[in-house]
Amino acid sequence: MTLESQRSSDAPGWVARVRLPEPSLQDNTADVDRLGDALKKEFGLATLEVDLSLGRRLPALLRENHFALRCLVCGDRHRGVLIHAGPDHTRTILAGLAVDLGTTRVVMRLVDLDRCNVLAETAFDNPQLAIGPDVLARIHYTDQPGGLEELNRLIIDGVNRHLQRLCETCGLDTDHVHLISVAGNTAMSHLFAGLPARWIIREPYIPAANRFNLIPAGQLGLSVGPLAQVMIFPNIGSYFGGDLIAGILYSGMHTGSRTAILVDVGTNAEVVLGNKEWLMACAGAAGPALEGGMSRIGTAAAPGVIDRVRIDPRDGEFHLHTIDDRPPVGICGSGVIDLAAQLFLSGMIDIRGRFQPARCGYRLQKRDGLASLTLVPGNQSGSGRDLCISQVDLDSLVRSKAAMYTILETITGTMGMALGDLEIFYVAGTFGSLIDPRSAITIGMIPDLPLDRFQSLGNSSLGGATLALTRRSLPEEAERLRESITYLELNVNQDFMNRFSAAKFIPHTDASRFPSVKTGSL
Amino acid sequence: MTLESQRSSDAPGWVARVRLPEPSLQDNTADVDRLGDALKKEFGLATLEVDLSLGRRLPALLRENHFALRCLVCGDRHRGVLIHAGPDHTRTILAGLAVDLGTTRVVMRLVDLDRCNVLAETAFDNPQLAIGPDVLARIHYTDQPGGLEELNRLIIDGVNRHLQRLCETCGLDTDHVHLISVAGNTAMSHLFAGLPARWIIREPYIPAANRFNLIPAGQLGLSVGPLAQVMIFPNIGSYFGGDLIAGILYSGMHTGSRTAILVDVGTNAEVVLGNKEWLMACAGAAGPALEGGMSRIGTAAAPGVIDRVRIDPRDGEFHLHTIDDRPPVGICGSGVIDLAAQLFLSGMIDIRGRFQPARCGYRLQKRDGLASLTLVPGNQSGSGRDLCISQVDLDSLVRSKAAMYTILETITGTMGMALGDLEIFYVAGTFGSLIDPRSAITIGMIPDLPLDRFQSLGNSSLGGATLALTRRSLPEEAERLRESITYLELNVNQDFMNRFSAAKFIPHTDASRFPSVKTGSL
């Protein structure tokens, strides 16, 4: 697999081949300086740092290879670091590791830095889950003696362990991994670097660092090449992390002339609006209902999880699709959105999201005093239990979708735009890539735009981390981006609440905003 | 002792106190970034590198000290490195070590980086003398397996050992030494850094490095503070080392409007001519006679060594001064120059440097077939042996002084100047500081300038290394200097040989050049 070409394009990477003029009495520049000058020119660097161990080997290396070398450099225009120098013609792979450092899940991609292709990929649960399920719990844990070190050790060991396996699958020695890029939220980035995180969650919410220098991988305890360096994506603040910066870079919205919106839906909805001229970001609680967090049966995408729902408009029959076609065990976020849209279109719920007993028929029952709709009876489910959703689940979903819509309305409104002005609508995140935009429009979670304006980015944070390994301009793009984003503090004032109340209908109080949603077609 | 104030002046050093605005909801810059931004502004840096270990401690450190810290930074405008951050008000000394890394002798000076005063000084023989007496022998030794490592280990161990003692004398822990500056010739700098030196002495004479990055002291095996950094003065090439760059910086001639010449006399005569507008350098063999290298009795300055000679014009009596007034055991360079001048003034040698038996009297004898003059009979010497100089010694001295004069004449002539145009004449080196300019003029080694134009710099290389510890602009001054110096290749052509021949007379064939030298006054 070659990396998506429209994104990494032909932008130069971190590997360069240099053929130096051989020294003479007329040109007796020193060896390290000779290579350094060439690389500074090639990479546009003010300084190039050559580790002593490399400098000591360089005179022989240059002469053995007739002054032609393949070099791996990283850094920015102020300071470059030479990570590797070796023979020009060789099959030795110079590998890099892109890490999407999620609070729950970590995804890693091994990349050939020279050919710019993917070697292998893996994903694993963040080992810090053993300490606490979320950012808050883990940061509180760092207040215990040794807590920070333990959390740091867990993630570093996890990365080492899975990198080892990843390398084995492609017959690569971990010593050949020279560059690591890490995109995570502010807290995860701190715990990865072993930086104190306690002030992130305490007023006035101060991270230890928003910008990270290149860090020698050895200092972090990573088992990779001896001179390997680690790039951690910068944060904007406690509330806006490097994972989002990576996502924006991956989308390319910061370089486009068309105004785009990028939505990363999770427990928080993180939203970025703009184009190459300006960027505005905000974040707000969109509620757990949007990330498979529905009580009892909500779950993250996994085999047997319902991810697609259709209700036959003629007979009201439920057609459920599960991941890997396994017997159903739960429902994930995209399934819930599909379900709500289909229930609405079939008239089984009304515009307030209330079950309509006449339409629901035998599926609707009282359980624990709550109206509850059975999706899958126990004898057909993978778990042996009935899979149901209750009125409470639905209410929660409606609040979440209303929050999302209100956030989108607020941020575009702040820029004096209407939602219809959005030229590209990027949906980021694994969850985002599964959502059917028609369903999300039907329930009024996202605006009623032509479907061709929606683009799913997949794991944009991993995509951005991969770009950092293959595009040498990325650190500066990230820093410029960081500095150019205006952060919009969402004030939950009367205006916001009015919008939110109006959005708590399906699709909206003002149905004219959703002309494509035709109701009651059953 | 405070460092010579006219040189270190009030230029800011590497220590800065910063009081940061405390974070708030309105100003939630991250901790590392907050300190970094302040220090970048204070030091005029594009980037500031904060070691992870320091970054991890910083949030607590800032809060414990109410956001006021004393910081030690080094680097240049492209890249600064934070070496230390600690409480603002403390008696803890932040120390630096200046090293004059001589081929023969190493001189070290411990400096308080904050108060900019000298704490202690020491000198010791370069332990590499055990391997070889000179640069050439040591570089050849690096061709043996492990040879480079052994030479490197010898000097590093020597520095560690003597630093330990130096620190003990002022009750300082070596952990408090945070910055080390090293001024040595090209070969010594390479051996200190463990860089391959073999190509320095082989055509086309390519050093491994002319410019050195900051090197973490730990990487060099130096037992100092954990984040200590080492600055090695840059070289211009194999023939012009960091010791000379340090010397020029110490003299200040690169910032003066008056045209100065700096002469560092050793086995090689290294000469720099210029002012703040331009600088030209050259080097040439001036012969061992000028550095106590006279056969049999020549020696470096040490107790019992003759450093001053007067011959009474009335009775021809020799008045010899020895270092520490100990019984004479040899004669050093300044003594030899004095002696030659006095022999000439007393008529004991003629303008060709030949002994005049009629004037020399009983002191002149044949030894091993050579005319030889006894300075000290064995029964008065510290060694029990006669101290003599032969006609061969004198001839050698005359050739050396003629070479020196010719070099001075050539470099000034190249710039279209006469020797009389030199407004300041700096004499560098321990040996230089002992020379009596009147004697050097008398024998025609240096031009007949008014005596107030001569300035002895003492150990200018140590002086420059000290400046590097106390003046933050120094690395860039050194780099600018390195780039601005034009190196004059001395072509030993007919023109040079004609000048040399004319200079082999005392003081010169053209006696009108030395109006102050009145001969035959005995």
Side-chain angles (χ1 to χ4, degrees):
Chain A
M1 167 167 64
T2 301
L3 297 172
E4 294 90 321
S5 57
Q6 89 277 15
R7 295 217 163 79
S8 72
S9 75
D10 296 327
W14 297 113
V15 176
R17 289 177 164 72
V18 287
R19 174 171 294 279
L20 307 173
E22 300 211 10
S24 65
L25 281 173
Q26 286 68 48
D27 173 13
N28 56 2
T29 307
D31 293 330
V32 172
D33 304 13
R34 181 177 298 270
L35 179 63
D37 290 346
L39 291 174
K40 282 196 275 186
K41 195 173 164 200
E42 162 72 25
F43 286 85
L45 306 167
T47 60
L48 180 76
E49 218 175 305
V50 180
D51 188 85
L52 198 55
S53 63
L54 206 48
R56 287 172 177 168
R57 283 191 287 116
L58 200 60
L61 198 60
L62 282 170
R63 284 161 184 80
E64 282 157 19
N65 292 284
H66 309 289
F67 290 82
L69 295 179
R70 179 175 69 157
C71 297
L72 174 63
V73 168
C74 75
D76 60 25
R77 69 181 190 283
H78 300 298
R79 179 194 170 216
V81 176
L82 180 60
I83 297 180
H84 168 90
D88 185 357
H89 300 292
T90 168
R91 291 190 178 182
T92 309
I93 285 178
L94 301 176
L97 181 72
V99 183
D100 165 32
L101 187 66
T103 307
T104 308
R105 196 92 179 136
V106 179
V107 191
M108 306 204 307
R109 180 181 281 167
L110 201 60
V111 171
D112 181 327
L113 297 171
D114 192 357
R115 293 173 191 82
C116 288
N117 56 5
V118 173
L119 298 168
E121 241 179 81
T122 190
F124 56 97
D125 283 345
N126 189 324
Q128 295 171 343
L129 285 168
I131 302 293
D134 54 32
V135 162
L136 221 60
R138 294 183 208 168
I139 293 185
H140 281 303
Y141 190 77
T142 65
D143 286 339
Q144 299 190 16
L148 174 60
E149 291 71 19
E150 187 182 347
L151 283 162
N152 175 249
R153 183 49 42 206
L154 279 170
I155 183 63
I156 296 294
D157 285 352
V159 169
N160 279 337
R161 198 165 53 247
H162 290 273
L163 174 61
Q164 174 72 41
R165 287 187 208 150
L166 203 55
C167 284
E168 278 165 13
T169 63
C170 31
L172 195 76
D173 195 288
T174 52
D175 263 10
H176 292 148
V177 177
H178 298 289
L179 195 55
I180 297 172
S181 72
V182 179
N185 64 41
T186 305
M188 289 308 109
S189 302
H190 276 61
L191 298 181
F192 184 82
L195 287 166
R198 57 172 284 130
W199 289 280
I200 292 179
I201 55 163
R202 289 170 169 90
E203 205 182 314
Y205 314 110
I206 309 297
N210 277 330
R211 298 184 301 243
F212 300 87
N213 297 318
L214 286 173
I215 305 175
Q219 267 192 37
L220 287 173
L222 292 167
S223 306
V224 287
L227 296 183
Q229 294 279 341
V230 180
M231 306 186 267
I232 300 181
F233 273 83
N235 310 307
I236 292 187
S238 52
Y239 41 78
F240 197 101
D243 48 351
L244 294 167
I245 302 270
I248 298 169
L249 290 165
Y250 181 66
S251 77
M253 65 185 286
H254 64 301
T255 62
S257 8
R258 291 185 298 168
T259 300
I261 197 160
L262 185 154
V263 177
D264 197 331
V265 199
T267 309
N268 268 332
E270 273 129 352
V271 177
V272 184
L273 174 70
N275 53 42
K276 65 179 175 188
E277 307 289 343
W278 55 271
L279 287 166
M280 175 168 277
C282 70
L290 290 178
E291 205 182 31
M294 296 194 78
S295 61
R296 281 194 297 271
I297 61 164
T299 176
V305 168
I306 301 165
D307 61 345
R308 291 260 168 272
V309 177
R310 287 291 170 266
I311 299 176
D312 193 311
R314 292 160 305 184
D315 55 11
E317 203 54 47
F318 281 41
H319 298 277
L320 308 175
H321 177 262
T322 63
I323 295 174
D324 292 352
D325 292 315
R326 298 266 285 278
V329 292
I331 186 164
C332 70
S334 64
V336 167
I337 289 167
D338 258 16
L339 175 63
Q342 293 291 311
L343 289 174
F344 177 67
L345 291 177
S346 66
M348 289 183 184
I349 58 174
D350 66 6
I351 64 165
R352 293 172 307 149
R354 297 266 141 193
F355 285 123
Q356 301 300 301
R359 294 281 194 175
C360 293
Y362 72 94
R363 292 180 181 270
L364 194 66
Q365 293 172 320
K366 280 260 179 199
R367 287 174 188 255
D368 305 330
L370 284 175
S372 201
L373 188 84
T374 303
L375 300 180
V376 183
N379 60 4
Q380 291 168 33
S381 81
S383 61
R385 284 177 296 152
D386 293 352
L387 300 186
C388 314
I389 63 160
S390 71
Q391 187 61 55
V392 170
D393 294 334
L394 268 185
D395 292 351
S396 163
L397 171 65
V398 168
R399 279 196 305 276
S400 292
K401 80 95 187 169
M404 171 60 82
Y405 187 81
T406 309
I407 292 169
L408 298 179
E409 201 184 354
T410 303
I411 192 170
T412 47
T414 302
M415 291 307 296
M417 295 173 67
L419 285 165
D421 297 337
L422 298 172
E423 293 174 274
I424 312 176
F425 197 111
Y426 291 114
V427 188
T430 319
F431 163 55
S433 68
L434 298 172
I435 292 178
D436 181 344
R438 282 166 301 189
S439 295
I441 291 171
T442 299
I443 63 168
M445 177 176 151
I446 59 176
D448 193 2
L449 300 169
L451 290 179
D452 62 8
R453 297 201 196 166
F454 291 95
Q455 282 191 33
S456 167
L457 292 175
N459 189 337
S460 57
S461 154
L462 184 65
T466 308
L467 280 185
L469 299 178
T470 56
R471 195 200 282 172
R472 66 173 74 150
S473 59
L474 210 86
E476 293 191 42
E477 279 185 67
E479 185 50 29
R480 268 202 307 277
L481 191 61
R482 204 189 79 80
E483 285 171 1
S484 68
I485 293 178
T486 308
Y487 191 79
L488 173 66
E489 203 67 59
L490 282 183
N491 290 312
V492 182
N493 52 22
Q494 193 53 49
D495 199 39
F496 187 91
M497 287 313 293
N498 289 345
R499 285 192 187 125
F500 179 64
S501 298
K504 279 207 295 192
F505 289 80
I506 301 178
H508 196 272
T509 330
D510 178 5
S512 71
R513 296 186 181 200
F514 289 85
S516 78
V517 182
K518 311 288 181 220
T519 56
S521 54
L522 188 66
Chain B
M1 167 167 64
T2 301
L3 298 170
E4 293 92 321
S5 57
Q6 89 278 13
R7 293 215 165 80
S8 70
S9 75
D10 296 326
W14 297 113
V15 176
R17 288 175 164 73
V18 287
R19 174 170 294 278
L20 307 173
E22 299 210 9
S24 65
L25 282 172
Q26 287 66 48
D27 173 13
N28 56 2
T29 308
D31 293 331
V32 172
D33 304 13
R34 182 176 298 270
L35 180 63
D37 291 347
L39 291 174
K40 282 195 275 186
K41 195 173 162 201
E42 163 71 26
F43 285 86
L45 306 167
T47 61
L48 178 75
E49 218 175 305
V50 179
D51 188 86
L52 199 55
S53 62
L54 207 48
R56 287 171 177 169
R57 284 191 285 116
L58 200 60
L61 198 60
L62 282 171
R63 285 163 184 79
E64 282 158 16
N65 292 283
H66 310 289
F67 290 82
L69 296 179
R70 179 175 68 157
C71 297
L72 174 63
V73 169
C74 76
D76 60 25
R77 71 182 189 283
H78 300 297
R79 178 193 172 218
V81 176
L82 180 61
I83 297 180
H84 167 91
D88 184 358
H89 300 293
T90 167
R91 290 188 179 185
T92 309
I93 285 177
L94 301 175
L97 181 72
V99 182
D100 164 32
L101 188 66
T103 306
T104 308
R105 195 92 178 137
V106 179
V107 191
M108 306 205 305
R109 179 182 282 168
L110 200 60
V111 171
D112 180 329
L113 297 171
D114 192 358
R115 293 174 191 79
C116 288
N117 55 5
V118 173
L119 298 168
E121 241 179 83
T122 190
F124 56 98
D125 283 346
N126 189 325
Q128 296 171 341
L129 285 168
I131 302 292
D134 54 31
V135 162
L136 221 60
R138 295 184 207 166
I139 293 184
H140 281 302
Y141 189 76
T142 65
D143 287 340
Q144 300 190 16
L148 174 59
E149 292 71 20
E150 186 182 348
L151 283 162
N152 175 248
R153 184 49 41 205
L154 279 171
I155 183 62
I156 296 294
D157 285 351
V159 169
N160 280 336
R161 197 166 52 247
H162 289 274
L163 174 60
Q164 174 72 43
R165 288 188 206 149
L166 203 55
C167 284
E168 279 165 14
T169 62
C170 31
L172 195 76
D173 195 288
T174 52
D175 264 9
H176 293 148
V177 177
H178 298 288
L179 195 55
I180 297 172
S181 71
V182 179
N185 64 41
T186 305
M188 288 308 110
S189 301
H190 276 60
L191 299 180
F192 184 81
L195 288 166
R198 56 174 283 131
W199 289 281
I200 293 178
I201 55 164
R202 290 170 168 89
E203 205 181 311
Y205 315 109
I206 310 296
N210 277 329
R211 297 183 302 242
F212 300 87
N213 297 317
L214 285 173
I215 305 176
Q219 268 192 37
L220 286 174
L222 292 167
S223 306
V224 287
L227 296 182
Q229 294 279 342
V230 180
M231 306 186 268
I232 300 181
F233 273 83
N235 309 307
I236 293 188
S238 54
Y239 41 77
F240 197 100
D243 49 349
L244 294 166
I245 301 270
I248 297 169
L249 289 165
Y250 181 67
S251 77
M253 64 185 287
H254 63 302
T255 61
S257 6
R258 292 185 296 167
T259 300
I261 199 160
L262 185 153
V263 178
D264 197 333
V265 199
T267 309
N268 268 332
E270 273 129 352
V271 177
V272 184
L273 174 69
N275 53 43
K276 65 179 177 189
E277 308 289 343
W278 55 270
L279 287 166
M280 174 167 276
C282 70
L290 290 179
E291 204 182 31
M294 295 193 78
S295 62
R296 280 195 297 273
I297 62 164
T299 176
V305 169
I306 300 165
D307 62 344
R308 291 261 168 272
V309 178
R310 289 290 169 266
I311 299 177
D312 193 308
R314 293 160 303 185
D315 56 13
E317 203 55 47
F318 282 39
H319 299 276
L320 308 174
H321 177 261
T322 64
I323 295 175
D324 293 349
D325 291 315
R326 301 265 284 276
V329 294
I331 186 164
C332 69
S334 64
V336 167
I337 290 168
D338 257 17
L339 174 64
Q342 293 290 312
L343 289 174
F344 177 66
L345 292 178
S346 65
M348 290 182 183
I349 58 175
D350 67 6
I351 63 164
R352 293 171 306 146
R354 299 265 140 196
F355 286 122
Q356 300 301 301
R359 293 284 195 174
C360 294
Y362 72 95
R363 290 179 181 270
L364 195 66
Q365 295 172 321
K366 282 257 182 202
R367 287 173 188 255
D368 306 330
L370 285 174
S372 201
L373 188 84
T374 304
L375 300 180
V376 183
N379 59 5
Q380 292 168 31
S381 81
S383 61
R385 285 177 296 153
D386 292 352
L387 301 184
C388 315
I389 62 160
S390 72
Q391 188 62 54
V392 171
D393 295 333
L394 267 184
D395 292 350
S396 163
L397 171 66
V398 168
R399 277 196 307 277
S400 292
K401 81 93 188 171
M404 170 61 81
Y405 186 83
T406 309
I407 291 168
L408 297 178
E409 201 184 355
T410 303
I411 191 170
T412 47
T414 302
M415 291 306 298
M417 294 173 65
L419 285 165
D421 297 336
L422 299 172
E423 293 172 273
I424 313 176
F425 198 110
Y426 292 113
V427 188
T430 319
F431 162 55
S433 68
L434 298 172
I435 292 178
D436 181 343
R438 280 165 302 188
S439 294
I441 292 171
T442 299
I443 64 168
M445 175 176 152
I446 59 178
D448 193 1
L449 299 169
L451 289 181
D452 61 9
R453 298 201 195 166
F454 291 97
Q455 283 189 33
S456 166
L457 291 175
N459 188 337
S460 57
S461 156
L462 184 65
T466 308
L467 280 185
L469 298 179
T470 56
R471 195 200 281 175
R472 66 173 73 152
S473 59
L474 210 88
E476 294 191 42
E477 279 184 68
E479 186 50 30
R480 268 202 307 278
L481 191 60
R482 205 189 79 81
E483 285 171 0
S484 68
I485 294 178
T486 309
Y487 191 79
L488 174 67
E489 203 68 58
L490 282 183
N491 290 311
V492 182
N493 52 22
Q494 193 54 48
D495 198 38
F496 186 91
M497 287 312 294
N498 290 345
R499 286 194 188 123
F500 179 66
S501 299
K504 281 206 296 191
F505 290 80
I506 301 178
H508 196 272
T509 331
D510 177 8
S512 73
R513 297 186 181 199
F514 290 85
S516 78
V517 182
K518 312 287 183 222
T519 57
S521 55
L522 189 66

